[in-house]
Amino acid sequence: MTLPNWITFSRLLGLPFLLYGLYNPTPTARWVCLAIFLVAAGTDWLDGYLARKLNQISDLGKFLDPLVDKLLVLAPLLALIELGQVPAWGVFLILARELAIAGWRVNQTTITGANIWGKLKTVSQIIAIALLIAPLPEVWKIPSLVAFWVCVTFTLISGAIYILPQTNSD
């Protein structure tokens, strides 16, 4: 397994600590959760950069990276549902898109990397989750929810763009 693939896999190690910390109501615990989340999200950029720089792009990496990204996004969102910070139906839309794309990818003969819409989706999800995890003052509640709905919108758009051009060419 290549270094970029190990870095991708390492993102999973922070998830149990992140989820445990989200259930601790102290501001300090939430800041620690934010730091864990941002470090894990930052390694998403790092593994891609190293894979390209070291010429270690692999089918395993193309498969593993989006899978770990999904877990990194969905795990805290599911916890945020339970904490009453986001509506379940919004997270369901994200989950449905991710499952649909994963199922669609299974039938593809080649695995492609993310396009610009997939990258926008990921960045918007990271921003929204970071705002929702951080113990910000009440004035940030609406901007955090707006960021959440922007990420839901980008998630759905990127899913449609991912599938529609491919179905038209068949």
Side-chain angles (χ1 to χ4, degrees), residues 131-153:
L131 288 171
L132 290 161
I133 288 174
L136 299 172
E138 187 68 24
V139 70
W140 280 91
K141 184 175 183 172
I142 291 176
S144 298
L145 285 173
V146 167
F148 170 74
W149 289 111
V150 166
C151 94
V152 170
T153 302

Side-chain angles (χ1 to χ4, degrees), residues 79-157:
L80 291 167
I81 290 171
E82 191 173 342
L83 295 170
Q85 288 189 250
V86 293
W89 70 272
V91 176
F92 172 78
L93 291 173
I94 293 172
L95 177 61
R97 182 269 190 207
E98 299 299 350
L99 290 174
I101 295 299
W104 183 80
R105 278 183 157 186
V106 168
N107 295 319
Q108 301 306 301
T109 55
T110 59
I111 300 172
T112 59
N115 62 24
I116 187 65
W117 287 99
K119 292 177 190 298
L120 284 172
K121 169 200 71 122
T122 300
V123 169
S124 69
Q125 289 173 341
I126 290 168
I127 291 169
I129 293 167
L131 288 171
L132 290 161
I133 288 174
L136 299 172
E138 187 68 24
V139 70
W140 280 91
K141 184 175 183 172
I142 291 176
S144 298
L145 285 173
V146 167
F148 170 74
W149 289 111
V150 166
C151 94
V152 170
T153 302
F154 276 142
T155 299
L156 296 175
I157 291 170

Side-chain angles (χ1 to χ4, degrees), residues 10-169:
S10 75
R11 287 202 297 270
L12 291 176
L13 300 178
L15 277 178
F17 299 102
L18 172 65
L19 294 175
Y20 179 78
L22 282 174
Y23 292 102
N24 188 340
T26 68
T28 301
R30 293 299 282 259
W31 285 119
V32 169
C33 288
L34 177 62
I36 291 169
F37 177 75
L38 291 175
V39 166
T43 65
D44 184 29
W45 172 83
L46 179 63
D47 63 19
Y49 171 79
L50 288 174
R52 289 184 297 278
K53 181 85 171 164
L54 301 173
N55 197 25
Q56 294 182 344
I57 296 172
S58 66
D59 283 342
L60 175 62
K62 289 179 187 177
F63 170 78
L64 191 60
D65 184 65
L67 176 64
V68 173
D69 289 348
K70 287 168 187 40
L71 293 173
L72 183 63
V73 166
L74 290 169
L77 284 176
L78 291 171
L80 291 167
I81 290 171
E82 191 173 342
L83 295 170
Q85 288 189 250
V86 293
W89 70 272
V91 176
F92 172 78
L93 291 173
I94 293 172
L95 177 61
R97 182 269 190 207
E98 299 299 350
L99 290 174
I101 295 299
W104 183 80
R105 278 183 157 186
V106 168
N107 295 319
Q108 301 306 301
T109 55
T110 59
I111 300 172
T112 59
N115 62 24
I116 187 65
W117 287 99
K119 292 177 190 298
L120 284 172
K121 169 200 71 122
T122 300
V123 169
S124 69
Q125 289 173 341
I126 290 168
I127 291 169
I129 293 167
L131 288 171
L132 290 161
I133 288 174
L136 299 172
E138 187 68 24
V139 70
W140 280 91
K141 184 175 183 172
I142 291 176
S144 298
L145 285 173
V146 167
F148 170 74
W149 289 111
V150 166
C151 94
V152 170
T153 302
F154 276 142
T155 299
L156 296 175
I157 291 170
S158 70
I161 289 172
Y162 197 88
I163 291 176
L164 291 178
Q166 303 300 324
T167 57
N168 291 337
S169 66

